[in-house]
């Protein structure tokens, strides 16, 4: 983390600053300042700093302020305006030692302006765009008095049944690691102590995306090599980029809950990786140690967690209740508490709060009159990022782009769905401010008679699913059915389709279907909507599917029926405009899948970078005694890295600068990329490497680099990648990270399957 440049301030008795020692300790000397402060803290005050509480609308504000003034709370989350947080900071300033509070929130893909969900951001493969989304989110959150976010979530997920796939950046270690770095830098800016920065806490440490069967909160059992090679690097990348915090995962790893795992938290995170920041438990995780069956009671749970190095306990009271007794009995030592307190104070220091507890709260007279004011949004940025994240999966007969003069039937339960457009974890985003697909298309078409809307189907016909999705929302039902019978809805849509030149069907999941606690056994589009698609297909009119969903879906049948498919995920406040930009050709799509699309749930997992096997299935050869499912076509529906454009690109003349590489050398891999179509366009040139023979089985290929390039129609360009020994290193059976001499295949392609290949030897 960057050093803070403070102006040689000294602690004084001024009202905003900490009442510290009689001997002034320079605020610029972080360690001495914190040690000095800790010397003055009582045990209760120390334990108070370890308490992180959620502020719900129903909570008695006066009581909370009293607790804060008594030194019993270190920070809050879910209170998100300056007006709400100021009285709490005032209370902290009335406490004996005036230790400032911090205010946290789940700012995951935007704060007031909602950007595309993380999986969609990853689909842009555009680090500048992703960084911009994070920077805007930080500025908006900081302007609302927030100091820290529980993001980025960098859990590698290879099982789309997991609803939280939507919150991560996909299945690939390299791509996720690059994004992890970008997001941390974007949130924290030059320094997390800046007034327009917020601290990042990377989550969920560790391996949460690998929960068994994609069932949320489940167990993880994983070999050390797989852990080190595939799942841990993105957390490490975030920490190396300076993330000030870590949120600890709810799952267990090889039989130990992460919240009680001293190896994970102390040996790996702090000792091996040198992490010096704040470790926060996930919601209620310390208490859950009892349910996991590793703690007999709350006392033992608190003991395990504090010894494992969990600094702050999110929303449970066990530290407050149990730590004094544990200390007294000698079951824990003072250092366990002190280490945790030190991390909390250091994080507050790094957020700039000791220098100015009101850094992000500001003065009351400057509070926004309306926190939802349009002027506080960043619509242009959101639209630009959103259109860069859309992935064109199919475009038969140049169905897209649509003519602006065409008569369009817009159907589907997601065509007018402002809440869903924002996706899950939409922070302080307001549905009324999000642009639906209907809004976006209307703005382009202008002539109302040329846009015929019919809902066509409800999200689901399954009452149990509907109730579940609505139970997830605290305020009002999110998924509201059209009460008319399914066949009436479909007939209306078919009539609209028959009157139109082309059909655009907005189908997929409601946002709650891809959410925390929303694991699915079935990845089909819900049956009500599939029936609608079948009826639309039967009209014979060109059919464009606009998919909205937070995970790969199984769309085998729909892929056969549709003429064009645009994957839009949940694309945020400006989603409707961004999608319309692509549908009508004002923006040429350039997104690529950060996850593999399986043909069926039974195929999962389908990640592209699987290990080599002894009996691989070979396309075109009989399948007998090879690794495959005999009852379906082998291979995914859409591979990792896949995505089309309105123009075409060709790759030619792939070359390596040498057929050998020595351990200190460099190799240049190049390819000629040509835009062979009639439109300017961007594409992502992807570099994969396969270590052909090693001391361990290596993946069939691994993404090692990529470049997103723009080419004018007819333009060509040679793209170069530099390969060094570092790109060839891996964790071997002894967990030593090293490259092994031998043959390597280098592949370059516009997706992970359709590639050119050359080889070299590492000497
Ligand atoms: C539980 C979730 O697992 C975590 O990701 C989130 O940050 C916390 N709740 C706080 O909202």
């Amino acid at each position: 983390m960057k050093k803070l440049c403070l102006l040689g301030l000294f602690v004084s008795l001024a009202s905003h600053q900490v009442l510290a020692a009689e001997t002034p300790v320079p605020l610029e000397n972080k360690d001495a300042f914190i040690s000095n402060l800790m010397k003055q803290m009582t045990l209760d005050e120390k334990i108070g700093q370890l308490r992180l509480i959620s502020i719900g609308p129903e909570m008695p504000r006066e009581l909370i302020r009293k607790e804060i003034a008594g030194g019993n709370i270190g920070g809050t989350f879910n209170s998100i305006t300056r007006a709400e947080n100021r009285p709490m900071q005032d209370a902290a300033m009335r406490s004996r030692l005036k230790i400032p509070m911090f205010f946290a929130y789940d700012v995951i893909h935007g704060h007031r302006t909602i950007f595309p969900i993380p999986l969609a951001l990853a689909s842009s493969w555009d680090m500048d765009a992703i960084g911009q989304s994070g920077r805007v989110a930080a500025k908006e959150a900081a302007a609302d008095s927030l100091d820290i976010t529980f993001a980025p979530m960098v859990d590698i997920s290879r099982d789309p049944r997991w609803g939280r796939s939507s919150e991560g950046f996909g299945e690939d270690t390299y791509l996720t690691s690059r994004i992890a770095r970008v997001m941390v830098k974007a949130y924290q800016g030059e320094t997390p102590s800046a007034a327009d920065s917020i601290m990042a806490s990377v989550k969920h440490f560790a391996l949460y995306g690998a929960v068994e069967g994609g069932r949320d909160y489940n167990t993880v059992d994983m070999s050390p090599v797989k852990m080190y090679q595939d799942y841990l690097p993105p957390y490490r990348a975030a920490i190396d980029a300076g993330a000030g915090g870590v949120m600890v995962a709810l799952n267990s790893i090889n039989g130990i809950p992460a919240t009680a795992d001293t190896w994970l938290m102390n040996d790996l995170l702090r000792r091996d990786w040198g992490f010096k920041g704040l470790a926060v438990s996930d919601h209620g995780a310390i208490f859950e140690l009892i349910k996991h069956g590793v703690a007999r009671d709350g006392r033992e749970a608190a003991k395990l967690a504090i010894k494992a190095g969990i600094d702050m306990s999110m929303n449970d009271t066990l530290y407050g209740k149990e730590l004094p007794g544990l200390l007294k009995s000698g079951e824990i030592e003072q250092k366990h508490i002190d280490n945790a307190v030190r991390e909390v104070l250091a994080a507050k220091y790094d957020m700039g709060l000791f220098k100015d507890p009101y850094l992000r709260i500001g003065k009351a007279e400057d509070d926004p009159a309306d926190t939802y004011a349009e002027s506080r949004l960043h619509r242009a940025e959101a639209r630009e990022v959103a259109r860069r994240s859309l992935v064109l999966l199919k475009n038969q007969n140049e169905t897209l782009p649509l003519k602006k003069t065409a008569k369009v039937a817009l159907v589907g339960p997601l065509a007018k769905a402002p809440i869903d457009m924002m996706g899950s974890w939409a922070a302080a985003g307001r549905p009324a401010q999000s642009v639906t697909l209907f809004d976006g298309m209307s703005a382009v078409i202008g002539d109302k008679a040329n846009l015929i809307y019919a809902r066509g189907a409800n999200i689901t016909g399954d009452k149990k699913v509907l109730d579940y999705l609505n139970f997830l929302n605290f305020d009002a039902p999110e998924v509201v059915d059209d009460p008319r019978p399914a066949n009436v809805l479909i007939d209306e849509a078919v009539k609209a389709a028959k009157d139109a030149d082309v059909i655009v069907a907005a189908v997929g999941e409601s946002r709650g279907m891809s959410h925390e606690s929303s694991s699915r056994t079935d990845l089909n589009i819900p049956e009500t909507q599939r029936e609608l698609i079948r009826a639309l297909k039967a009209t014979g009119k060109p059919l464009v599917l606009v998919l909205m969903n937070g995970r790969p879906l199984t769309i085998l049948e729909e892929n056969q029926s549709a003429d064009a498919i645009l994957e839009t995920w949940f694309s945020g406040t400006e989603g409707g405009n961004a999608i319309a930009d692509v549908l009508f050709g004002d923006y040429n799509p350039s997104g690529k899948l950060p996850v593999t699309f399986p043909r069926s749930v039974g195929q999962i997992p389908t990640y592209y970078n699987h290990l080599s096997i002894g009996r691989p299935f070979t396309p075109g050869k009989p399948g007998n005694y090879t690794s495959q499912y005999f009852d379906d076509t082998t291979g995914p529906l859409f591979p990792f890295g896949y995505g089309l454009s309105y123009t075409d690109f060709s790759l030619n003349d792939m070359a390596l600068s040498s057929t050998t590489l020595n351990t200190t050398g460099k190799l240049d891999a190049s390819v000629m990329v040509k835009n062979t179509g009639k439109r300017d366009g961007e594409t992502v040139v992807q570099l994969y490497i396969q270590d052909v023979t090693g001391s361990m089985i290596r993946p069939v290929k691994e993404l090692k680099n990529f470049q997103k390039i723009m080419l004018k129609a007819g333009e060509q360009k040679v793209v170069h990648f530099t390969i060094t020994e570092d790109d060839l290193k891996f964790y071997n059976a002894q967990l030593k990270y090293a490259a092994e001499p031998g043959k390597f295949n280098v592949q370059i392609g516009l997706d992970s399957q359709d590639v050119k290949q050359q080889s070299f030897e590492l000497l």
Side-chain angles (χ1 to χ4, degrees), residues 77 106 150 164 203-204 208 247 250 282-283 314 425 516:
F77 62 113
D106 287 283
F150 303 129
R164 303 196 79 170
K203 69 187 185 187
H204 302 85
Y208 188 24
M247 181 185 283
L250 291 164
D282 201 345
H283 209 124
M314 181 185 283
W425 295 104
E516 182 180 343

Side-chain angles (χ1 to χ4, degrees), residues 379 383 387 390 402-404 408 410 414-418 421 433-448 450-451 453 504 506 546 548 571-586:
R379 288 193 179 275
R383 182 169 181 164
R387 59 194 204 164
L390 308 180
L402 304 175
K403 292 199 188 60
K404 290 184 183 170
V408 183
L410 174 61
L414 292 160
K416 284 188 179 179
M421 192 56 102
Q433 288 176 319
S434 81
V435 179
T436 65
L437 182 55
F438 178 83
D439 301 333
M441 291 183 71
S442 304
V444 177
I445 289 187
D447 177 2
K448 293 271 176 292
N450 269 355
L451 185 67
Y453 166 78
V504 173
V546 171
M548 297 188 194
S571 42
T573 304
E574 278 289 310
N577 284 330
I579 299 169
D581 286 343
V582 168
L583 291 179
F584 291 104
D586 290 329

